[in-house]
């Protein structure tokens, strides 16, 4: 499909800036949702061309095309748009998170809060004081299940 160079440039610039592009599978829409004055068909066909060259990955779900720029596509668009290597798409930027303020937990720290029993090293967990083995049920113990389920007497 013939796409004007101006329209192709706008499509590629938007793809490079965002790193992703979404297009509804409707070829008759007069313009794309995000790109003004560019037909949706031209956007889909430009992305189809980049997909066939391996510069974009395509996912299709619920009548929408989702295009994600690959590393090879990043280099290709950087050359095509004559951009320096310092400029990267929004999907490749780390989100700047403000540092979390240091907070004091209530009850934590030395001498503050509720009493907590010392844990020790927990080696003696579930160990009997007399050193003997734990005894099970006596040999003559026979549990009886009265009247319900599989233990019911035959009737």
């Amino acid at each position: 499909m013939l796409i004007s160079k101006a329209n192709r440039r706008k499509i590629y610039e938007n793809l490079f800036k965002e790193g992703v592009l979404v297009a509804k599978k409707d070829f008759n829409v007069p313009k794309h949702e995000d790109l003004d004055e560019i037909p949706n068909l031209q956007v889909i066909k430009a992305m189809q061309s980049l997909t066939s060259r391996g510069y974009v990955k395509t996912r299709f779900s619920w009548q929408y095309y989702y295009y994600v720029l690959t590393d090879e596509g990043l280099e290709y668009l950087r050359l095509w748009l004559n951009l320096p290597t310092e400029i990267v798409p929004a999907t490749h930027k780390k989100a700047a998170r403000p540092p979390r303020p240091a907070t004091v937990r209530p009850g934590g720290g030395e001498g503050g809060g509720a009493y907590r029993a010392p844990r020790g090293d927990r080696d003696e967990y579930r160990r009997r004081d007399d050193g003997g083995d734990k005894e099970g049920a006596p040999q003559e113990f026979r549990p009886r299940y009265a009247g319900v389920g599989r233990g019911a007497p035959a009737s």
Side-chain angles (χ1 to χ4, degrees), residues 17-105:
K17 182 178 80 174
E18 299 294 329
V20 295
L21 188 70
V22 178
K24 184 177 175 78
K25 184 188 173 185
D26 188 359
F27 304 119
N28 300 320
V29 176
K31 66 176 190 169
H32 187 263
E33 296 172 355
D34 297 333
L35 305 169
D36 295 334
E37 301 174 9
I38 299 177
N40 198 40
L41 180 62
Q42 289 184 3
V43 173
I44 292 171
K45 291 301 176 181
M47 292 297 107
Q48 187 177 17
S49 173
L50 290 177
T51 301
S52 68
R53 293 186 242 167
Y55 297 146
V56 172
K57 286 185 187 175
T58 303
R59 301 286 298 220
F60 184 75
S61 177
W62 290 70
Q63 298 299 312
Y64 278 88
Y65 291 104
Y66 297 92
Y67 301 102
V68 180
L69 193 60
T70 62
D71 292 335
E72 295 84 20
L74 182 69
E75 294 303 318
Y76 172 77
L77 288 182
R78 194 171 275 145
L79 290 172
W80 201 89
L81 296 170
N82 296 320
L83 296 172
T85 57
E86 293 82 32
I87 299 174
V88 294
T91 55
H92 289 232
K93 293 179 184 175
K94 296 266 185 182
R97 293 183 181 174
R100 296 177 75 185
T103 58
V104 177
R105 289 187 357 208

Side-chain angles (χ1 to χ4, degrees), residues 7 26 77 80 84 110 123 126 142:
N7 283 357
D26 188 359
L77 288 182
W80 201 89
E110 291 291 318
D123 286 337
R126 290 193 177 174
R142 300 281 181 240

